[in-house]
Amino acid sequence: DNKELKDPEVQNIFSRKFPTVYAELIQKSLASKIENKEEIKGSWVKYEQGNTEDAEKLYKSLENKGTGWCTAGISTAKYQIERGDFYVYYTEVDGDATQPRIAIRMNGQKQIGEVRGIQEHQNLEPQMEDVLNEKLTEFGSEADKYKKKNADMKALTEIEKKTTENKSLTKDDLVFLYETSSSIEGFGYEKDPRIAEILSRRNQKEDLPILFDCRPEQIAFSLSDLKADTLAYIGTWNPTVLKSITPNVKYIYESFPDRKVFLKTIETDPSIQSPQEAEGAILAKGYKFYISAKEILQKTLFSKENKEYNLVSFSLKSIGFLNGATTAEIFQKAEDLGLEICPAEVGPLVRLNYFDQPSDEELTIVMKPIEDEGGSFCVFDVAHLRNGDQILRAYRYGPNGGNWSASNRFIFLRRK
């Protein structure tokens, strides 16, 4: 009888890599042994960079404690101590502070490398938020991005409490939960599982009018639903729909909230007329670069006069390429659809102006490729990574133009 093999949990295990599943099962097994989970009284211990004895102490203090941290291996503990200080918060068990609950790994002695808790995916436990926040005050401005994560976790905990108590959520709560203005950032290597759990219990169609400040009938879910007073559109996105969308439609999604359509007008900045000025502006806003993007940025021409770019994004699938396409085919399709190729400066300009880019989104600029120092041809790509980094990078491909997947999403210039 193969009944057990048909169980959804078993199917999930067989569909994933064994080391990943094994590590998770071990963590859950050990985590179940953690004592006094509600206890928050404890103390911080600092392990000094370069101190081999401290690396040994750190390893032994984490052994069989159910943290799921890679530092619980002796070789990893030594490697991390070689590269920076390490702080652990231990809570009390029978009067002794021995249960690790929070880890702060440093790069050197001043830069925070990462913060981890012992929840699923190494997220922080809600009851440990205040403990961490107090500790972060010791690190000055270096801790700012982690304070944002901590504030997000506090807000999520409050929404979770309201949901459990069947209390109504405010518009601000919904904006936060659906991540329509900014991503919810946690301390784990994956999204906090509470987000998906709370959303699964929401009636999205009831939430949408609150989020968009409109009547239910002002939200269109198909081309035929579009009316003169439509304020939001959630549905299939392609050039035909673009032509039917009126300027008063403020919110456009392929699916809500994860697929917001990029449809923006961006103006050139008179203070940015060179690659060096563009690079400085991008770094000043906290955005990051990949090396290849820096290389082609140095060959990018910037406008000396004011210009306005009307931009729109489409996946290759939405413009008819069900099996992907080459760059040459994309260029030809743009011509056929009344779209245009973007000047290279659109890449850095989009990065500078797309501060609310959804998490886990990447958009490639349809532009004439620029050759990097290695002889590869590159185009700019604007991305918001799951770890919170918003970056400008460049995709490399060979002289024949490369093949792009049907799911790849591109930014085109709209013809006037």
Side-chain angles (χ1 to χ4, degrees):
D1 190 321
N2 292 325
K3 183 178 180 181
E4 291 84 357
L5 294 177
K6 295 178 182 178
D7 183 277
E9 283 196 29
V10 176
Q11 290 289 325
N12 182 47
I13 289 175
F14 279 112
S15 68
R16 299 160 64 209
K17 293 183 179 179
F18 176 75
T20 301
V21 177
Y22 180 74
E24 289 183 6
L25 291 176
I26 290 296
Q27 180 183 354
K28 288 179 180 178
S29 175
L30 293 173
S32 66
K33 300 176 183 178
I34 293 175
E35 299 179 76
N36 297 340
K37 287 186 179 181
E38 296 308 311
E39 176 63 77
I40 63 171
K41 183 181 179 182
S43 58
W44 286 96
V45 175
K46 177 183 178 182
Y47 298 94
E48 300 274 353
Q49 179 182 9
N51 189 322
T52 54
E53 289 185 4
D54 271 8
E56 183 76 20
K57 291 177 184 177
L58 172 60
Y59 157 68
K60 287 184 176 179
S61 76
L62 304 180
E63 192 176 21
N64 296 324
K65 294 293 186 178
T67 63
W69 303 335
C70 58
T71 316
I74 183 60
S75 59
T76 306
K78 287 180 178 178
Y79 177 84
Q80 292 181 340
I81 287 296
E82 284 174 6
R83 282 154 181 77
D85 291 341
F86 203 103
Y87 297 84
V88 178
Y89 186 78
Y90 300 89
T91 51
E92 292 186 358
V93 178
D94 297 329
D96 295 321
T98 57
Q99 178 57 55
R101 305 287 284 277
I102 310 172
I104 302 177
R105 178 182 63 78
M106 307 293 291
N107 294 324
Q109 297 177 331
K110 295 183 178 180
Q111 182 184 29
I112 298 176
E114 64 181 359
V115 178
R116 292 287 189 253
I118 62 170
Q119 288 279 78
E120 187 176 357
H121 307 314
Q122 298 179 20
N123 279 293
L124 190 70
E125 299 164 277
Q127 65 267 34
M128 305 307 295
E129 290 162 0
D130 289 337
V131 174
L132 175 62
N133 202 43
E134 182 179 352
K135 184 66 176 177
L136 289 175
T137 60
E138 299 177 13
F139 297 97
S141 60
E142 170 60 27
D144 285 350
K145 68 177 180 179
Y146 293 95
K147 289 177 182 177
K148 197 271 185 189
K149 292 173 186 277
N150 208 30
D152 281 0
M153 292 299 96
K154 277 181 172 290
L156 184 60
T157 298
E158 184 59 32
I159 289 174
E160 180 184 35
K161 182 181 177 182
K162 284 185 179 181
T163 301
T164 302
E165 296 173 353
N166 291 318
K167 292 182 179 179
S168 298
L169 299 187
T170 66
K171 179 184 175 181
D172 287 344
D173 290 336
L174 294 175
V175 167
F176 175 82
L177 183 61
Y178 282 102
E179 302 179 84
T180 58
S181 61
S182 67
S183 299
I184 299 174
E185 297 179 30
F187 295 98
Y189 55 85
E190 293 283 355
K191 280 280 191 184
D192 192 305
R194 291 179 295 171
I195 301 170
E197 182 182 343
I198 296 170
L199 285 174
S200 70
R201 299 165 65 179
R202 303 294 306 175
N203 183 325
Q204 190 180 100
K205 287 199 172 182
E206 291 181 359
D207 288 340
L208 289 174
I210 301 172
L211 284 161
F212 297 147
D213 285 321
C214 68
R215 303 187 307 277
E217 59 269 23
Q218 289 179 294
I219 302 174
F221 294 95
S222 67
L223 187 59
S224 60
D225 289 339
L226 287 169
K227 300 172 185 174
D229 65 344
T230 297
L231 288 180
Y233 173 82
I234 303 171
T236 301
W237 181 247
N238 55 43
T240 301
V241 177
L242 172 63
K243 291 177 182 177
S244 303
I245 291 287
T246 58
N248 59 296
V249 181
K250 295 171 59 179
Y251 310 100
I252 307 173
Y253 291 82
E254 290 185 67
S255 62
F256 185 83
D258 56 312
R259 283 293 185 195
K260 186 177 182 180
V261 170
F262 180 92
L263 183 62
K264 283 181 178 287
T265 296
I266 291 178
E267 296 181 353
T268 55
D269 185 337
S271 69
I272 299 175
Q273 297 185 2
S274 70
Q276 293 73 27
E277 289 169 338
E279 181 177 344
I282 289 171
L283 293 174
K285 284 197 173 183
Y287 300 132
K288 298 184 177 181
F289 281 98
Y290 275 13
I291 293 175
S292 53
K294 278 192 176 185
E295 291 176 2
I296 67 171
L297 179 63
Q298 299 311 310
K299 299 180 180 181
T300 297
L301 297 177
F302 286 85
S303 301
K304 305 299 182 184
E305 68 280 353
N306 291 337
K307 284 190 177 180
E308 188 176 81
Y309 294 120
N310 295 309
L311 306 170
V312 63
S313 69
F314 294 106
S315 68
L316 288 189
K317 184 178 180 180
S318 71
I319 58 174
F321 292 116
L322 302 184
N323 297 309
T326 65
T327 303
E329 289 171 331
I330 296 170
F331 284 3
Q332 182 58 57
K333 178 64 76 169
E335 178 71 22
D336 296 342
L337 293 173
L339 302 170
E340 294 183 357
I341 296 169
C342 301
E345 70 173 337
V346 165
L349 287 176
V350 169
R351 179 65 289 161
L352 281 167
N353 289 276
Y354 198 14
F355 58 88
D356 57 347
Q357 183 174 20
S359 179
D360 205 24
E361 180 189 73
E362 57 178 276
L363 298 174
T364 304
I365 310 299
V366 177
M367 55 178 275
K368 184 179 179 181
I370 298 175
E371 191 174 354
D372 69 5
E373 293 179 6
S376 294
F377 295 91
C378 300
V379 294
F380 284 118
D381 184 80
V382 178
H384 186 172
L385 306 183
R386 287 185 181 182
N387 66 3
D389 289 345
Q390 296 195 54
I391 64 174
L392 180 66
R393 58 188 179 186
Y395 271 134
R396 291 186 173 121
Y397 53 87
N400 294 325
N403 265 307
W404 301 91
S405 165
S407 61
N408 278 123
R409 310 176 75 77
F410 290 84
I411 291 178
F412 297 82
L413 180 63
R414 296 174 68 185
R415 189 170 297 164
K416 291 184 179 179

